[in-house]
Amino acid sequence: MYPLYQDMMLTEEQQQIVLDYVQEVDFHIPGTTPQDYAVVPLAKYVGWNFKSEDLEAYAVGLTCTKPGYERYHTFIRMSRGQLLAQAEAPRLPVNEPVLANETLRMQRWRDTPAGPTRTGVDSYLEADGSVPGIDHDLTELEDVLGDIEAFAAAGRTATCEGQFDLAVDFGTLLAGRYPRVKHYQKEGQLKPDQVERLQQFEKRARDMEETLDRLNLPSLKSLETPERRRHPQHN
């Protein structure tokens, strides 16, 4: 089985169909009105991406035009038939007008709802001249380990929904941010409080090795065994 459709570029007429629908269903984020939006011309086909999604579903991006809200983005679900102006086109349940960046995995670590206040090369600079980004690295490691603790405490197993997300999150952190922090620890460039946070994280992670193994999640112990399989064998 394959996806039924592809993404589509929306004509001006199709963009107006979207805007009319936005107003009809009173779709807007708090603090704005349905008239405060412009359409992103590329409609993303999502009917194939999620098991619970309708096969006809597209997600149409909306950018806010209200002064002060220009950095806020959302999206609305519409069927292919609606976008093609087909008679009696199916209508999908209207989704909540969630901020688009709230669906991103990194959103929980941003300092404002609309995105980070500092971007680019200045994103993680520290006023005291310490290594940029170390506190952020440690926060991600601590928070995801906390997610795993909560997952296990809820009685969930390796076959439960959410395990894959935890495996991706924690595995990525152990492969990237954790070695980075360990490098700067070895170089003696961490602040005392950062060293303490790192040691506390490592203790928690080692105390949880049995839980991590039971949930089929990566652990500090797994880092001790170099990956020797060819890429297709473990991906």
Side-chain angles (χ1 to χ4, degrees), residues 200-218:
Q200 290 177 351
F201 164 77
E202 291 176 325
K203 182 180 184 306
R204 286 174 61 201
R206 290 196 176 96
D207 289 344
M208 289 179 59
E209 280 186 356
E210 182 179 344
T211 298
L212 294 170
D213 288 344
R214 175 167 50 82
L215 295 175
N216 197 24
L217 296 173

Side-chain angles (χ1 to χ4, degrees), residues 43-158:
K44 300 292 291 183
Y45 176 56
V46 295
W48 176 255
N49 293 5
F50 307 98
K51 290 190 296 183
S52 60
E53 187 56 270
D54 190 291
L55 285 174
E56 295 288 319
Y58 276 79
V60 183
L62 301 170
T63 58
C64 193
T65 58
K66 181 176 179 178
Y69 285 78
E70 292 88 351
R71 294 179 66 188
Y72 288 71
H73 307 279
T74 186
F75 65 93
I76 190 167
R77 295 167 68 247
M78 296 181 67
S79 72
R80 183 173 183 272
Q82 285 179 284
L83 295 174
L84 296 179
Q86 295 177 349
E88 305 298 326
R91 292 194 171 201
L92 308 178
V94 179
N95 58 288
E96 292 293 328
V98 62
L99 289 179
N101 63 5
E102 289 180 352
T103 67
L104 302 179
R105 305 182 78 82
M106 294 288 289
Q107 197 275 341
R108 65 191 286 191
W109 294 298
R110 290 179 171 174
D111 55 353
T112 73
T117 53
R118 292 192 297 175
T119 58
V121 296
D122 297 328
S123 296
Y124 300 109
L125 289 180
E126 300 291 348
D128 59 7
S130 59
V131 179
I134 293 295
D135 287 325
H136 184 88
D137 295 341
L138 290 168
T139 296
E140 286 198 34
L141 287 163
E142 294 163 347
D143 287 354
V144 173
L145 189 61
D147 292 343
I148 296 172
E149 288 177 321
F151 188 84
R156 297 180 180 176
T157 69

Side-chain angles (χ1 to χ4, degrees), residues 165-180:
D165 290 340
L166 292 177
V168 170
D169 289 349
F170 203 50
T172 303
L173 291 172
L174 291 185
R177 292 187 182 270
Y178 177 68
R180 177 177 188 266

